[in-house]
Each structure stands twice: as C-alpha cells, then as structure tokens.
Amino acid sequence: MPVDDDLWSAIGDPTRRRMLDLLLSEGGGTATSLSERLPVTRQAVAKHLVVLDRVGLVHATAIGRERQFRVDPEQLARAAAQLADVGAAWDARLHRIKRMAEQIQRRAHENGQQSTEKEQ
Amino acid sequence: MPVDDDLWSAIGDPTRRRMLDLLLSEGGGTATSLSERLPVTRQAVAKHLVVLDRVGLVHATAIGRERQFRVDPEQLARAAAQLADVGAAWDARLHRIKRMAEQIQRRAHENGQQSTEKEQ
DNA sequence: CGGTGACCGCAACCATTTGTTGCGCAAACG
DNA sequence: CGTTTGCGCAACAAATGGTTGCGGTCACCG
C-alpha cells in the first residue's frame, strides 16, 4: 500500500488540517464561515478548499449563492489509514533496530568476538 | 496532545519521508550518498537535512570531511505517535458521525418526532 | 611534497505554493 | 431598487523546493 503523495501533501498543510477539523466538528461550512475561525483570509481558505476538493477530501454543494463544503468520509478514512501505515512502518523499523542494538550489547557483554550478523 | 506543526511539516514532504526511509534502512548516510538514490541533487538533499536536523529528526556526526547523518529514534517515535493521534482522531469523528446518521435514520423510520440529541 | 579528485558549503537564480489586497459580479434582503 | 453579502478572479509578495555554478578543504597517490 504505497503512500499517495497528493493526498498526503493535502493533509500536510497545518491550515488545511484545521479546516478539516472545523468541517468535521461543525458538519460543514463555506469559505467565509471557515475564514472567520482561522487566522487567514477568505481567499486563502478558498484556495485550500480547491486543493482539498482536487484530492476528493471535501465536496461542495451549491445552496443559493453559497457553496457549502462537507468532508468526504471515505477519503478521509483513506488518509487516516495512510497516516497509520507510515507511523506503524516507522515504529516497526525502530523496534527492530532497538532489538538489534540490545542483542549486540548483550553479546559484547558476555564474550566479545562475533560480528557476523547482517541487518536487513 | 496538540500537533507540532514544525515536526509535522518536516515529515510532510515526500522527499524528506524517502530520506528518512533510506536513513533507517541503511542505518545512516551523507548528503551525497542519499542524493545518489533520490531523484534530486546533493544540494537539495542537504537543504532537507537542515530542515530535518532543525526539528531533531536527524543528527550529524563529522567523520573526517564527511558528515554522517543518523535518525534520532526518539523524535521519529514522537512523529509516528502524532500521525497515529491525528488518524485516530479523524477515525473517531467519522465513526461518531456515522453512528449518529444511523440513529437518525432509524428514528425517522420508526416514529418520527424526537430530535433532542446534541452532538459534541 | 605537490597535483587531482571527492565531499562539502555558499550564493544566485527559477518555479510553485501560500498568503495578501483589490476589484467586480450576482444573489438576497430591506 | 439600492445595499449588503458571498463569491470568483487577478495581481502581487514571501517562503519553499529545486537547480546550476563556484570555491574551499581534506584525502589520496604518484
């Protein structure tokens, strides 16, 4: 399961992550309503919404002259799964390294000759 | 546990994530050695290493004229934990929303009056 | 001991992204 | 029917991620 770079960089921006949080906690919003709770202008928010829409994390429905945005649960779940994947992969590597270090330590402590082990 | 934006954006870049992978799988490396396995120049890699070093994800030790970089396991574990946190928070919100939607559905299906529930 | 090559840092430059301000337009509302 | 209000578009500024080019040491070899 390789990482989707576009999706990842979409959620990589701190402002966009806060926007997703707001959209989730309030069940939706417009560029204007979001910009009122963020330290950026409406136009900046609108650009971020374009980015999020391009990767499918949000969808807009026009209501009168307003454009209501809502989170796409499937895509966000996919994003969350990727975060978990990468984090787990790092954890696994770190654990392997830690275990290896302990083994070397133990071996060096007891006798003190061998060094024929190979890492992955 | 709030998210550390600097740490997050450090691991947000795809090139830097690949660099971390390489450093983990090979146990270390220099700007030159990394650039040979990446589609970017040595200078670009060097800049990324500065970023990673600034947030403490890697450390350099000078060996002769070479600068050997290695991953800091504690910081990477912290980063992995943050990924897991955010992913879990999103999952929780999505599940709550899904459960709420099902309840409304069920209630509307049976009788069709109450709507006194409050979300978070 | 002096030349050559490898590794590095620094600076200049380019493209993209992230933010701003300003403008104009169309829909809502009194 | 005029005025707000919400939105899109364009021009601009700053930061970021990339490049090329240059110069400086350190290591190695003849």
Side-chain angles (χ1 to χ4, degrees), chain A residues 34-63:
Chain A
L34 288 175
S35 71
E36 285 166 358
R37 325 211 164 196
L38 289 170
V40 296
T41 58
R42 168 184 68 84
Q43 284 83 344
V45 171
K47 288 187 193 175
H48 285 304
L49 284 171
V50 170
V51 175
L52 291 175
D53 188 85
R54 221 166 37 203
V55 299
L57 276 170
V58 303
H59 298 297
T61 61
I63 300 184

Side-chain angles (χ1 to χ4, degrees), chain B residues 105-119:
Chain B
Q105 185 92 5
R106 205 173 315 131
R107 208 166 315 185
H109 192 270
E110 288 170 1
N111 44 10
Q113 269 81 339
Q114 269 96 322
S115 71
T116 51
E117 298 293 346
K118 265 298 224 5
E119 63 179 275

Side-chain angles (χ1 to χ4, degrees), chain A residues 9-45:
Chain A
S9 66
I11 60 178
D13 184 274
T15 302
R16 285 195 283 265
R17 260 196 329 278
R18 276 171 216 136
M19 286 171 56
L20 288 174
D21 276 347
L22 284 174
L23 287 178
L24 280 177
S25 67
E26 310 190 0
T30 68
T32 306
S33 77
L34 288 175
S35 71
E36 285 166 358
R37 325 211 164 196
L38 289 170
V40 296
T41 58
R42 168 184 68 84
Q43 284 83 344
V45 171

Side-chain angles (χ1 to χ4, degrees), chain B residues 13 15-16 39-44 47-48 64-65:
Chain B
D13 185 273
T15 302
R16 285 195 283 265
V40 296
T41 58
R42 168 185 67 85
Q43 284 83 343
K47 288 188 193 175
H48 284 305
R65 67 182 162 175

Side-chain angles (χ1 to χ4, degrees), chain B residues 56-77:
Chain B
L57 276 170
V58 302
H59 297 297
T61 62
I63 299 184
R65 67 182 162 175
E66 298 202 352
R67 300 194 59 208
Q68 182 79 3
F69 284 86
R70 245 175 306 116
V71 174
D72 181 322
E74 298 230 3
Q75 280 302 104
L76 190 65

Side-chain angles (χ1 to χ4, degrees), chain B residues 5 8 17 32 37 40 44-46 54 61-62 64 66-68 75 79 95-96:
Chain B
D5 276 351
W8 185 288
R17 264 198 325 279
T32 305
R37 326 212 164 196
V40 296
V45 171
R54 222 166 36 202
T61 62
E66 298 202 352
R67 300 194 59 208
Q68 182 79 3
Q75 280 302 104
H95 282 145
R96 195 140 27 102

